[in-house]
Amino acid sequence: MEHTSHEFLKALLETPSPSGFEQPIQQVVRERMKPFADGVRTDSHGNVFATRFPEGRPADAPRVMLAGHCDQIGLMVQYIDSDGFLYIQPIGGWDMQILLGQYLTVWTKTGPVTGVVARRAIHLLKPEERNKVPDFADVWVDIGARNKEEAESLVQCGDPLTFALGYRSLRNGLAASPAMDDKVGLWVCMEAVRLLHGRSLKAAVYGVSTVAEEIGLRGATTATYAVNPTVGIAVDVTHATDVPSGDKKTQGDIKCGGGPVLYRGPNISPRVFDLLEATAKAHNIPVQVRGTPRATGTDANAIQIAREGVATGLIGIPNRYMHSPVEVVHLDDLSNSAKLLAEFCAAVGPDTNWIP
C-alpha cells in the first residue's frame, strides 16, 4: 500500500465518526481528496463527494457512484447520575457482551474524555444474573468524576462515545482496529478516485463518503438522489469465514487476503457483476464471490432503488470480528478493491449497456 494512502487509512480509523457525528472524519476526507478530485463538496446531510469529470464533460457521459459509509457504531450519553456515572444508549447495532469492560472515549465539544464501561463484578452477581446479558440500563460509564457536577462540567447528554480508537498492524498483512466497518470501504472509494487522477475518463466518477448508514442507509439515500447515477457500487465489509467460528454454509467461503468479494443476487445488477468480474480477470486482480439472496443491509440497497432504479454492485472487504474493537482486515484486499474499482470506472463509457 502506498505510504500516504496507508497514512490516510490510519487517519480515518483514528478519527471518531459515530452516526450523526461524522464531521471530524469528513474533514479528513476533504483534505485528502482535494489534490486528486476535480471537485470536492459536502451536502447539507453531511455526505462528501469527491468527483472526477470525463474529458470535455459531454452531456451524455454516464455517472458512476462509489459509496463507502464513514460512520461507525457508537453510543450516546443519555443520563448522568448524582455520583457522576454516565448511562448510555446505542447508536447502531451492539453486542453487549463485547462492550463490557472496554475503554471508551466521550467526544465532547471541548475534547475527548476517557471512560470505562462496567457493571457489578462477577463476585457480586446473583446466580441468575451471571448467565444473563445485561441491558444498557444495567451498565454505566465511569469517567472518574467525583459527582454529577464535575461530570456535567465535562460531558453533556447527547455526547457521542466510541471504543478507544487505534490502528494496530498484525502479521502477514493483517491489521486490526475498531470501525473497519466501514472506514475501509470509504478508503477504497477514495483511493479509487486517487488512482484515476490524471487518467482520461469517459464517465463522471463520484466517490461518496456517506453518512448514517448504521442507522438505516440514510446518507446513501440522499446522496444517490443527488448524483442520479447511471451505475452505483457500494463498498462495505463482509464477514470473513476463515476463523474457527466461520459459518461457510450460510456466509460463504470468504478469506482475508483472498481478494475483494463480489456479490451476486437480487440487490445486484448482473451487468455490473459481469463487468466487475471481467475487469478483475483482465487486470489479474483476485476476487471472491458471495451470493446474497435478498436485499443487503448496505448502501447498495438504497442505491438500487433510488429514483427510477440504478444498476448496482456491491464489493465486500473480508472482515473478522465485525462490530467489535478488534475488527481485522487484510491490507491487500483494500488495495485490490481500489484497483478494481478504478479500472471498472475507466472501462465505463456512454455505450456500456446496463440493461439486464
Side-chain angles (χ1 to χ4, degrees), residues 31 38 45 49 53 66 103 120-121 132 139 149 171 251 278 303 346:
E31 289 300 318
D38 297 324
H45 200 171
F49 305 76
F53 294 110
L66 311 176
Y103 286 101
R120 284 185 296 147
K132 179 186 175 183
V139 303
E149 289 71 27
R171 296 174 64 84
Q251 302 297 316
I303 294 169

Side-chain angles (χ1 to χ4, degrees), residues 221-234:
T221 300
T222 57
T224 310
Y225 188 92
V227 172
N228 190 18
T230 313
V231 56
I233 299 176

Side-chain angles (χ1 to χ4, degrees), residues 119-172:
R119 65 168 178 171
R120 284 185 296 147
I122 191 170
H123 319 69
L124 306 177
L125 294 176
K126 298 175 182 178
E128 63 270 20
E129 293 177 315
R130 294 187 180 186
N131 295 321
K132 179 186 175 183
V133 178
D135 294 326
F136 275 90
D138 300 324
V139 303
W140 56 86
V141 176
D142 187 345
I143 61 171
R146 294 185 181 89
N147 50 44
K148 183 181 181 75
E149 289 71 27
E150 183 180 356
E152 287 184 333
S153 72
L154 300 167
V155 175
Q156 67 181 105
C157 290
D159 280 343
L161 305 89
T162 65
F163 288 127
L165 302 179
Y167 173 95
R168 291 173 174 82
S169 296
L170 303 180
R171 296 174 64 84
N172 299 310

Side-chain angles (χ1 to χ4, degrees), residues 65 231-235 263 267-269 272-273 276 298-301 303-304 310-315 344:
M65 175 173 162
V231 56
I233 299 176
V235 186
Y263 276 74
N267 195 176
I268 308 303
S269 161
V272 176
F273 173 85
L276 283 169
T298 72
D299 282 348
N301 190 24
I303 294 169
Q304 185 187 40
V310 178
T312 300
L314 175 59
I315 290 178
F344 175 94

Side-chain angles (χ1 to χ4, degrees), residues 9 13 50 226 252 265 322:
L9 174 63
L13 291 166
M322 202 180 297

Side-chain angles (χ1 to χ4, degrees), residues 103-309:
Y103 286 101
L104 301 178
T105 303
V106 190
W107 300 98
T108 77
K109 291 182 178 180
T110 56
V113 174
T114 298
V116 296
V117 62
R119 65 168 178 171
R120 284 185 296 147
I122 191 170
H123 319 69
L124 306 177
L125 294 176
K126 298 175 182 178
E128 63 270 20
E129 293 177 315
R130 294 187 180 186
N131 295 321
K132 179 186 175 183
V133 178
D135 294 326
F136 275 90
D138 300 324
V139 303
W140 56 86
V141 176
D142 187 345
I143 61 171
R146 294 185 181 89
N147 50 44
K148 183 181 181 75
E149 289 71 27
E150 183 180 356
E152 287 184 333
S153 72
L154 300 167
V155 175
Q156 67 181 105
C157 290
D159 280 343
L161 305 89
T162 65
F163 288 127
L165 302 179
Y167 173 95
R168 291 173 174 82
S169 296
L170 303 180
R171 296 174 64 84
N172 299 310
L174 296 166
S177 173
M180 293 291 190
D181 178 10
D182 180 40
K183 296 180 184 184
V184 295
L186 160 59
W187 182 93
V188 165
C189 293
M190 296 304 159
E191 180 71 358
V193 174
R194 185 189 76 83
L195 292 173
L196 291 170
H197 181 63
R199 296 181 65 174
S200 179
L201 300 175
K202 297 179 181 179
V205 178
Y206 296 79
V208 188
S209 176
T210 63
V211 298
E213 190 270 357
E214 296 288 358
I215 59 169
L217 317 180
R218 298 170 69 82
T221 300
T222 57
T224 310
Y225 188 92
V227 172
N228 190 18
T230 313
V231 56
I233 299 176
V235 186
D236 211 319
V237 292
T238 191
H239 294 287
T241 56
D242 57 348
V243 293
S245 62
D247 188 353
K248 295 180 174 62
K249 294 179 181 178
T250 62
Q251 302 297 316
D253 188 4
I254 306 300
K255 299 179 177 66
C256 284
V261 177
L262 308 184
Y263 276 74
R264 298 183 70 196
N267 195 176
I268 308 303
S269 161
R271 292 284 190 178
V272 176
F273 173 85
D274 288 346
L275 184 53
L276 283 169
E277 189 176 50
T279 301
K281 184 176 181 180
H283 294 276
N284 297 312
I285 300 170
V287 294
Q288 307 174 79
V289 176
R290 179 183 168 185
T292 182
R294 58 186 64 85
T296 66
T298 72
D299 282 348
N301 190 24
I303 294 169
Q304 185 187 40
I305 58 176
R307 292 181 180 257
E308 70 270 26

Side-chain angles (χ1 to χ4, degrees), residues 81-93:
D81 73 12
S82 59
D83 295 316
F85 295 105
L86 315 181
Y87 287 81
I88 53 178
Q89 288 294 309
I91 301 173

